[in-house]
């Protein structure tokens, strides 16, 4: 055992490189606190608007009641998917992108790894933007750049000691977050419930007056937030003491708190006066104090993104010290956050969902239905083009149903719709159908490969 490995084992901290084993030190409550805190996000508060306005024009088109229902459905399903993604990490002790060596092969795993790096840098940047914007409202202006830089420094510090940060969340931060959530619910209810039929759909044909077609698009938007954590789940659950605790903590704790946070965000949105997206929180008694808890806690979101970006890069270069990567990535997202804004948030969510929902479908089919303990994560794992095909099939189903609003990419899929004479039906959920399509194709591909091996074995024995 190397000196660095022994040092990390004694401290129960995450290893510095992929050459070192992952300590199994996180309890159910450690992980529950981690996922629960990820479910309570300022992006959930501000992003609640994308559920009410699921189209690119940004005009609310479904009622608050339908938005809450869409959010619950999307979050519960997304939570279960997140739980499934958590299990392989706990079982194998491997990070998320390294697991994809067993799914696609070592070299082919680089493609989703690069996409994951891109989306995590995007999420990390968005988190710092949100923290900076929230701090602006909380403190009534001030040096915006200073808020962003301070959040970037805190993010980087947490990333250097990831398991210690998870324990910190369990012991201290979670309590403050729960108290703040309860306080805002009490204050909002004291002033009366919002009109749940507000912002009815233009056609009035769906639940609670909402357009059913838009309801499923809104559900996909809520699910995309949950599924955005799927490509990183194993980075943390590989330190879990058991697969059962990994699944339960990831699926249950995250879903519960995200539902609570999204519902609170929708209630706040109904009370918005145009003075700022967080004004409903700041206008209640002691609102500034408890909102500060949310702003400070938001750093755990950016921390998780930066840490997982470092581990994803290690799939490409296993011996680079994650601490060096963390410092570089923390600096990068800070610089990006100083230059960008949240204007393309919904389009970003749509692209994430279309890529990673079917990827999870392929993983579930192959790991749970075929592998049965056989999972090759070596650096020379052979390519598996059939699984790439299954992934692309699921992605295609997603884009046909919901091409989103991503410029040339969307134009291409709209043209495909026209060529196929395809018309989206009201009951179609891009997320659910793309997931099922990926599962089906991956299962068929895996079954064919298994039969070929069996026949080859029989031929040799004969």
């Amino acid at each position: 055992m190397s000196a660095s490995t022994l040092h990390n084992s004694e401290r129960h901290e995450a290893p510095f490189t992929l050459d070192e084993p992952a300590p199994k030190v996180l309890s159910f409550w450690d992980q529950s606190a981690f996922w629960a805190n990820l479910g309570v996000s300022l992006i959930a508060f501000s992003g609640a608007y994308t559920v009410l306005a699921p189209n690119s024009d940004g005009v609310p088109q479904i009622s608050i009641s339908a938005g809450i229902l869409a959010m619950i459905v999307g979050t519960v399903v997304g939570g279960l998917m997140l739980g499934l993604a958590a299990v392989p990490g706990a079982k194998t002790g491997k990070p998320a992108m390294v697991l994809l060596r067993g799914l696609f092969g070592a070299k082919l795993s680089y493609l989703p790894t690069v996409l994951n790096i891109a989306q995590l840098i995007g999420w990390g940047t968005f988190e710092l933007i949100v923290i900076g914007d929230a701090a602006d409202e909380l403190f009534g202006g001030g040096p915006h750049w200073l808020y962003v830089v301070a959040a970037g420094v805190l993010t980087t510090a947490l990333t250097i000691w990831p398991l210690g940060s998870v324990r910190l969340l369990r012991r201290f931060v979670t309590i403050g977050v729960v108290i703040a959530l309860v306080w805002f619910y009490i204050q909002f209810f004291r002033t009366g419930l919002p009109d749940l039929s507000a912002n009815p759909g233009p056609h009035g044909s769906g639940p609670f007056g909402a357009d059913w077609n838009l309801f499923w698009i809104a559900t996909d938007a809520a699910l995309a937030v949950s599924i955005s954590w799927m490509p990183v789940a194993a980075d943390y659950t590989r330190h879990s003491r058991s697969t059962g605790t990994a699944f339960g903590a990831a699926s249950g704790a995250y879903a519960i708190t995200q539902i609570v946070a999204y519902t609170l965000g929708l209630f706040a949105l109904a009370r918005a006066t145009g003075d700022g997206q967080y004004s409903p929180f700041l206008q209640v008694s002691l609102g500034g104090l408890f909102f500060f808890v949310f702003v400070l806690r938001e750093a755990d979101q950016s921390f998780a993104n930066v840490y997982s970006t470092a581990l994803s890069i290690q799939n490409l270069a296993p011996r680079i010290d994650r601490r060096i990567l963390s410092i570089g990535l923390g600096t990068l997202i800070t610089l990006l956050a100083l230059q960008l804004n949240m204007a393309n948030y919904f389009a970003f969510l749509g692209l994430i969902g279309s890529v990673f929902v079917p990827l999870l479908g392929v993983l579930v089919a192959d790991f749970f239905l075929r592998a049965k303990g056989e999972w090759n994560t070596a650096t020379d794992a052979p390519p598996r083009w059939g699984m790439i095909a299954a992934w692309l099939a699921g992605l295609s189903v997603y884009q046909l149903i919901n091409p989103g609003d991503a410029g040339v990419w969307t134009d291409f899929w709209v043209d495909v719709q026209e060529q196929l004479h395809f018309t989206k039906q009201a009951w179609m959920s891009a997320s659910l159908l793309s997931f099922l399509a990926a599962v089906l194709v991956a299962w068929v591909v895996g079954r064919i490969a298994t039969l070929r091996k069996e026949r080859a074995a029989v031929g040799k024995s004969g």
Side-chain angles (χ1 to χ4, degrees), residues 97 110-120 355-356 391 395:
M97 293 301 102
Y110 293 170
L111 172 60
T113 296
V114 170
L115 293 176
N116 194 42
I117 291 170
Q119 72 113 357
L120 288 175
V355 170
F356 290 107
W391 179 27
L395 185 149

Side-chain angles (χ1 to χ4, degrees), residues 6-7 24 60 82 138 162 166-167 189 226 247 283 360 422 461:
L6 179 61
H7 182 60
K24 301 280 190 175
L82 182 62
L138 176 62
V166 170
R167 298 188 192 97
F189 274 83
S226 302
F247 177 85
Q283 291 168 356
L360 176 61
F422 174 83
S461 62

